[in-house]
Amino acid sequence: MTTQHSRIAIERIGIDESGKGDYFGPLVIAAVFVDATTQGELRLMEVRDSKTLSDGRILEMAPDIKTICPHSIITIGPQKYNELYEKIKNLNRLLAWGHAKALETLLERGITCEQAISDQFGDKRLILNALQEKGRKVTLEQRPKAESDLAVAAASILARAEFLIRLKRLSSEVGTALPKGASPTVELAAKMIVKKHGQERLGQVAKLHFKTTKAVLA
């Protein structure tokens, strides 16, 4: 017998982001709604934290997750990201804004759910305030290693898949393979872009507040 409490505990929205630590490419935030049925299906698919999966596997799994779970994906491209960062001046606030937007978009699709789970990245009031302005009431639980929850793991896969697709698209637009992360290889690619297309183009493919920008333009 399902009690009211266990039903609520199972029905939840997982939220996760991708691209936060990558110099190139967008910041992507995904929200995924999971209930008892889809939880079983995700388990059978062996859904787990995207950091433990290969890019190929992530790109294979994402369409299946999208098919079975109501979801929303918010993509903040580098140009928009730089504009927002210039205004907000704080990555946690920017993340909170994105998380709230992903949650709100999913709730607007008619999902009724009172519990959301995300990774711990800052003051959860930032997300709740953004939601309450819209009159939405959600209990948000932030926990370290939230990706161990199936709903958050599913969101991490959707966010990463979208990030990888967008990064590939940006790479073909600038005619240079844009590497993930923030490493010497990334710095080299950034220097190539500045050399080929000028400094302005960098703001269309990269998150300019990273230390990498200083090194590239030095």
Side-chain angles (χ1 to χ4, degrees):
M1 190 183 86
T2 312
T3 65
Q4 181 65 16
H5 178 73
S6 67
R7 195 179 72 82
I8 288 173
I10 281 184
E11 291 194 350
R12 64 205 183 278
I13 293 170
I15 321 164
D16 203 21
E17 78 284 321
S18 184
K20 182 176 73 174
D22 298 274
Y23 181 60
F24 291 120
L27 175 67
V28 183
I29 296 114
V32 174
F33 173 71
V34 172
D35 61 17
T37 310
T38 50
Q39 172 152 300
E41 290 173 357
L42 293 175
R43 203 163 267 144
L44 284 173
M45 283 164 60
E46 295 183 6
V47 162
R48 56 182 200 268
D49 180 8
S50 64
K51 291 183 199 74
T52 65
L53 298 165
S54 68
D55 290 356
R57 190 77 191 101
I58 288 167
L59 292 166
E60 269 170 28
M61 288 172 103
D64 295 338
I65 295 170
K66 284 181 179 174
T67 306
I68 62 170
C69 295
H71 60 278
S72 71
I73 299 170
I74 300 298
T75 304
I76 306 168
Q79 221 166 344
K80 181 76 180 153
Y81 178 97
N82 292 325
E83 276 169 34
L84 284 168
Y85 193 88
E86 202 48 42
K87 249 188 250 165
I88 300 172
K89 296 268 189 251
N90 176 305
L91 185 57
N92 280 345
R93 276 181 187 278
L94 184 55
L95 273 174
W97 178 84
H99 275 59
K101 192 93 187 116
L103 246 179
E104 185 196 312
T105 308
L106 188 49
L107 294 169
E108 271 167 7
R109 293 189 180 147
I111 294 295
T112 46
C113 182
E114 285 164 15
Q115 192 193 7
I117 301 169
S118 82
D119 224 357
Q120 210 146 11
F121 63 77
D123 190 345
K124 72 176 185 182
R125 281 175 311 185
L126 293 174
I127 300 179
L128 295 175
N129 291 348
L131 284 171
Q132 270 152 12
E133 281 172 23
K134 307 269 180 203
R136 310 235 177 244
K137 290 220 182 323
V138 175
T139 306
L140 175 69
E141 185 191 334
Q142 282 192 336
R143 44 167 105 142
K145 306 266 181 286
E147 295 87 351
S148 61
D149 182 275
L150 264 179
V152 180
S156 81
I157 291 171
L158 292 195
R160 195 65 182 168
E162 189 64 28
F163 172 83
L164 293 169
I165 290 162
R166 300 286 185 129
L167 188 67
K168 195 177 176 192
R169 199 180 296 162
L170 284 173
S171 295
S172 60
E173 278 172 22
V174 288
T176 301
L178 302 174
K180 293 171 293 185
S183 63
T185 324
V186 168
E187 208 175 291
L188 199 64
K191 283 178 177 165
M192 289 273 297
I193 288 162
V194 174
K195 202 174 167 185
K196 264 165 74 174
H197 305 285
Q199 195 177 320
E200 208 169 281
R201 197 63 192 268
L202 201 56
Q204 295 167 10
V205 293
K207 303 174 185 80
L208 298 178
H209 69 88
F210 276 50
K211 287 193 188 101
T212 311
T213 306
K214 267 199 183 113
V216 168
L217 303 178

